[in-house]
Amino acid sequence: MKIEELQNLRVAIIGGGYGGAAAAVALDRIGVKDVAVYEQAPALGQVGAGIGLRPETVERFRRWGIFDAIAAVSSPSDHLEILSGDGQTVFAQEEWPNRHAFAEVNDTRIIHRGDFIEAFANALPAGSLRLDHRLVGIVDNGATSTLTFANGNVVEADVVIGADGIRSLVRSTFFSDKAPVFAGEHAYRIVIDIEDAHGLVTDDNPRFYMGQNGTIAYNLPLRHRGQLSYDITAPSDDDTWAPAITNDYLVSLLDGFDERIVQVARELDVAQVTSRSVYDIDPVDQWHSDCIVLIGDAAHAMLHHQGQGANSAIADGDAIADAFAQAGSVAEALALFQATRKPVTDELQRISRAGWNAEAVEDAFPGQH
C-alpha cells in the first residue's frame, strides 16, 4: 500500500500481549500512524513466567530498534539441554536454530513475560495503548468494523487485528466456534529466587527434565533477575481450567526426578503457583475477512512444549506489517498474511502436539532447523 494510505489507516488491535504489541510496533515502523492497542487488563503487571525469544525474534528486535531494551531485561542463551528426569542422561544438547543466520550472532534471550510486555509497551507509539478495554462486540461492515467495549466505548476501524488469545472473541464471532482442545496435561509454573533453586541454575541455558511417567520439568534461568522460572507439566484427565494443588501432589509427579527439582516442589508456596490445564486449538481454516484478521494464539494457539507460542505471535506481527507494505489494499494484505504464515503455524501446532518421547529424543528442535 502507498505510504499515504498507510498513514491514514485506522488500525484497532485487540489484545496487548506478544502478538498485539509486536503488530503495533511493526506497523508503526512502516508508517501506520493511527494504531490503537485495546487491552482488557486495567494495568500491565509482572505476571507470567520465563519465555525464550528465539534468534529470528531477536533479529526483528534489532530491525525495530528495540534490541537494547530487550537485552537489558533478559539473559543470552546459546543452547538447550533435554535430560532424563534424574539428570543423569543428556538426551539432546543443541544450539538454538539460526543463531548464526544473521549479521550478528543472535542468542536466544531468556526473559520474564512481565519484563517483555513492559519493554514492548514502552516501544509502542505514544498514546496507542488503551487499558481497561474488554471487547464485548464486533460488527464487520465490509470495509470497516465497529467495536464495542465493556466500558461503553464504541470504535470504528479500517482494520481489526484480533490478538485476543486462545479464547478469542474475534475468532469465535467470525472464523471458528470450535472450543479450545484439552491436551490431557496440567502446567504448574512459578518464578523463584535462585537461592531457593538448590543449585539448578548454573548458567543461562534452559534445561528440560523428562520423566518416564510423562512429566516434564522445565527450568528457564532468569539470572539477570536472580531467579528461575520453574515449570512442571504433567499428564492429567482433569480439564478444570485452574486445578487445585498441594506440595505433596507436585512431589508425587516427580518420582525418580533429580532431587533438586523435587526439593523445590516440596518448598514452594503453592498459593503463588500458576496452575492451569493445558489447551491449544485445532488449525483454523480462515483467519481473515476483508478488514478483520486473527494473529497469535487467536489464530493458532499451540502447546508450550516447543516454546513457539510467543515467537510465533511476534512473527505474525512482523508478517502483518510486511503484508501491508507489499499489498495493494487491506483485503489483499490480510490474504497475503494468511498465505504466508498459516503453513508455518500449522506445522508448529502439529510439532508442539507431538511433544517428545522420554526414551527417544532425536532432535531438540524438530522441523525447526
Side-chain angles (χ1 to χ4, degrees):
M1 295 174 67
K2 297 177 181 178
I3 186 63
E4 58 267 25
E5 294 175 317
L6 294 173
Q7 290 175 339
N8 292 324
L9 204 60
R10 298 171 300 171
V11 179
I13 299 174
I14 310 303
Y18 311 123
V25 171
L27 289 168
D28 176 69
R29 299 304 189 265
I30 66 166
V32 179
K33 298 305 179 186
D34 190 352
V35 178
V37 180
Y38 296 98
E39 166 57 44
Q40 67 177 352
L44 298 179
Q46 282 287 326
V47 296
I51 58 174
L53 301 171
R54 298 287 188 89
E56 302 92 332
T57 301
V58 173
E59 185 65 17
R60 292 183 175 96
F61 298 156
R62 293 190 190 278
R63 287 197 284 105
W64 294 339
I66 63 173
F67 171 77
D68 289 344
I70 298 295
V73 290
S74 63
S75 293
S77 165
D78 55 39
H79 72 271
L80 168 70
E81 284 187 26
I82 303 177
L83 306 95
S84 58
D86 61 11
Q88 297 304 305
T89 303
V90 177
F91 293 138
Q93 184 183 89
E94 295 185 32
E95 186 175 80
W96 296 100
N98 298 315
R99 184 169 171 258
H100 295 278
F102 306 99
E104 297 183 61
V105 174
N106 285 333
D107 289 316
T108 285
R109 307 297 305 196
I110 309 300
I111 191 170
H112 188 285
R113 181 187 184 278
D115 292 339
F116 177 56
I117 294 299
E118 183 177 340
F120 244 134
N122 291 335
L124 293 176
S128 63
L129 180 60
R130 317 288 169 83
L131 297 171
D132 198 21
H133 275 72
R134 179 173 63 85
L135 184 70
V136 294
I138 177 170
V139 177
D140 187 335
N141 304 313
T144 65
S145 297
T146 304
L147 307 170
T148 303
F149 296 93
N151 59 13
N153 286 350
V154 178
V155 173
E156 187 170 285
D158 301 310
V159 182
V160 173
I161 298 176
D164 50 340
I166 190 170
R167 295 184 171 186
S168 168
L169 177 62
V170 180
R171 183 184 70 244
S172 63
T173 301
F174 297 109
F175 305 112
S176 173
D177 59 1
K178 292 182 181 178
V181 179
F182 178 50
E185 295 177 318
H186 288 174
Y188 312 106
R189 296 170 177 151
I190 189 171
V191 175
I192 63 174
D193 291 337
I194 283 179
E195 55 262 35
D196 297 325
H198 296 280
L200 285 170
V201 179
T202 57
D203 57 24
D204 294 312
N205 297 305
R207 289 177 173 83
F208 300 169
Y209 296 80
M210 304 186 63
Q212 295 296 319
N213 59 357
T215 296
I216 304 176
Y218 296 94
N219 286 261
L220 277 73
L222 298 164
R223 288 206 302 173
H224 57 284
R225 291 172 60 114
Q227 294 177 322
L228 169 69
S229 182
Y230 175 92
D231 176 310
I232 299 170
T233 298
S236 176
D237 295 327
D238 174 17
D239 64 356
T240 305
W241 184 251
I245 57 170
T246 64
N247 293 89
D248 287 343
Y249 175 71
L250 293 180
V251 169
S252 74
L253 301 174
L254 298 169
D255 183 43
F257 272 73
D258 186 313
E259 180 55 31
R260 298 172 298 175
I261 295 172
V262 180
Q263 191 62 24
V264 170
R266 288 194 186 101
E267 298 171 358
L268 290 177
D269 178 358
V270 291
Q272 301 303 313
V273 175
T274 300
S275 176
R276 289 287 183 268
S277 291
V278 178
Y279 285 83
D280 67 357
I281 62 174
D282 291 327
V284 177
D285 292 335
Q286 185 73 16
W287 291 359
H288 68 91
S289 68
D290 285 348
C291 62
I292 299 172
V293 67
L294 303 174
I295 69 171
D297 281 356
H300 47 68
M302 58 190 70
L303 303 184
H304 62 283
H305 301 301
Q306 290 293 325
Q308 283 285 13
N311 290 279
S312 294
I314 296 163
D316 285 351
D318 192 23
I320 199 83
D322 283 348
F324 276 108
Q326 295 173 36
S329 68
V330 169
E332 289 177 13
L334 302 188
L336 175 60
F337 166 73
Q338 175 170 327
T340 301
R341 289 292 297 154
K342 183 170 166 53
V344 177
T345 60
D346 281 355
E347 179 62 6
L348 287 174
Q349 284 182 297
R350 186 194 67 78
I351 291 170
S352 297
R353 277 187 173 178
W356 291 295
N357 181 334
E359 296 180 355
V361 178
E362 298 177 356
D363 190 341
F365 308 107
Q368 299 171 55
H369 294 281

